[in-house]
Amino acid sequence: MSSPRLLDRIERYFALAPLPEAQVHRVGALEVPIGPPEWPFPARPVPGAEGEVTLADVRAAVELQERAGLPASLEWLGDRCRGLAGVARSAGLAVDELPLLVADDPLSVLLPTGVRLYLVGADDPKLALYQRLAALAFAHPGPVAVPVGAERRTGVPDVALGDPGPEEVPPTEVLRERVASGRTVMMVAVEDGQPVAIGSHQPVDVDGTEISEVVGVATLPRFRGRGLGAGLTSALVEHARQTADLVFLSAGDDDVARVYERAGFARVATSCLAER
């Protein structure tokens, strides 16, 4: 399914996605979005630009990001900029290569019995709690469930979500506005009245047709290994495909990519991410 036209459309998506929140600066062969620190976008190569991204470009982009209080971050399609990984490493960044997949012929994956799925509205009073869920889940990565009390054996704490205190509530205004405008479509999985997994898709109008990226699918550690992530992703894709003709995502690694492939996704490229 991979083709130059497909990758062109994905690159165009990435170029347009920051525009509602950020001002995009041209730094050599890079585009650097500068916007709210609570919703950062990575720098990316200018789509279709002639010439390679230089070390000076990367250093200037990182300086601009850090001066604005943003994390140093650079993202690109590895199939398009094959020499950029070495340049990014020379600038002091660590590079991860992530499988990029599209929803080719997605299958419906049911959630476990007793788990209900909800669309999150902009006026949901638990929006900050859902952000905390995602932050906790990504802070403790791992593919398997962590039983209560197992932290001494595994080194992974039994994370309880709870209600965040005032000092712990992350900023939500950018997210609230994105949800209200439809630029972020968020779903939360709830079991016994408690949110246990979360994920979103982010639609963008790309030259008259909609493309959406599935992002931020996360499950609290002790609820993993039950298919919550797969069921949530399936629901997000189904919702996105009501209006989008292309839905894609980046998998955390090859093992995760194989799970998505069994659910009807097709790997089309490699997405490279460089950070401090």
Side-chain angles (χ1 to χ4, degrees):
M1 189 171 179
S2 177
S3 68
R5 168 63 177 159
L6 175 63
L7 298 185
D8 287 345
R9 296 186 68 204
I10 291 175
E11 285 195 320
R12 182 72 172 144
Y13 171 96
F14 284 129
L16 294 172
L19 296 184
E21 274 87 34
Q23 182 178 357
V24 179
H25 298 256
R26 178 75 179 262
V27 177
L30 293 173
E31 291 182 340
V32 187
I34 301 296
E38 62 266 32
W39 202 276
F41 292 91
R44 303 191 67 92
V46 177
E50 296 183 2
E52 296 182 352
V53 178
T54 67
L55 181 58
D57 295 342
V58 175
R59 285 175 171 166
V62 166
E63 181 181 359
L64 181 59
Q65 289 172 323
E66 294 183 335
R67 196 165 59 239
L70 300 172
S73 180
L74 174 64
E75 194 171 15
W76 68 95
L77 297 182
D79 309 68
R80 290 288 175 91
C81 302
R82 297 186 182 277
L84 186 48
V87 175
R89 292 188 181 101
S90 296
L93 304 179
V95 178
D96 284 329
E97 296 185 355
L98 309 176
L100 186 73
L101 303 98
V102 300
D104 184 9
D105 187 20
L107 307 175
S108 294
V109 180
L110 298 178
L111 288 163
T113 302
V115 177
R116 301 191 66 179
L117 199 61
Y118 297 92
L119 273 172
V120 177
D123 57 350
D124 194 316
K126 292 188 175 182
L127 196 57
L129 185 66
Y130 301 150
Q131 282 191 284
R132 177 164 167 76
L133 187 161
L136 285 170
F138 283 116
H140 302 285
V144 297
V146 180
V148 173
E151 61 273 17
R152 293 182 181 177
R153 300 191 302 274
T154 65
V156 178
D158 173 44
V159 179
L161 183 61
D163 286 321
E167 74 284 355
E168 300 178 54
V169 176
T172 61
E173 289 312 307
V174 175
L175 175 60
R176 197 180 302 279
E177 194 278 328
R178 287 184 61 92
V179 171
S181 67
R183 298 198 305 280
T184 290
V185 178
M186 178 181 287
M187 292 185 181
V188 61
V190 175
E191 185 173 44
D192 296 329
Q194 296 296 319
V196 295
I198 196 164
S200 304
H201 75 86
Q202 300 184 156
V204 172
D205 184 285
V206 179
D207 304 323
T209 62
E210 192 171 284
I211 297 174
S212 196
E213 180 184 17
V214 174
V215 299
V217 178
T219 303
L220 288 176
R222 66 189 178 95
F223 296 96
R224 292 173 186 159
R226 300 170 53 203
L228 287 168
L232 186 54
T233 300
S234 175
L236 287 166
V237 171
E238 182 179 356
H239 186 279
R241 282 165 64 96
Q242 293 176 18
T243 52
D245 71 343
L246 174 60
V247 182
F248 71 98
L249 57 80
S250 294
D253 54 37
D254 288 333
D255 290 337
V256 176
R258 283 189 282 271
V259 174
Y260 287 127
E261 286 172 339
R262 291 197 294 271
F265 281 76
R267 181 167 177 167
V268 297
T270 298
S271 179
C272 297
L273 177 64
E275 298 174 311
R276 285 291 187 200

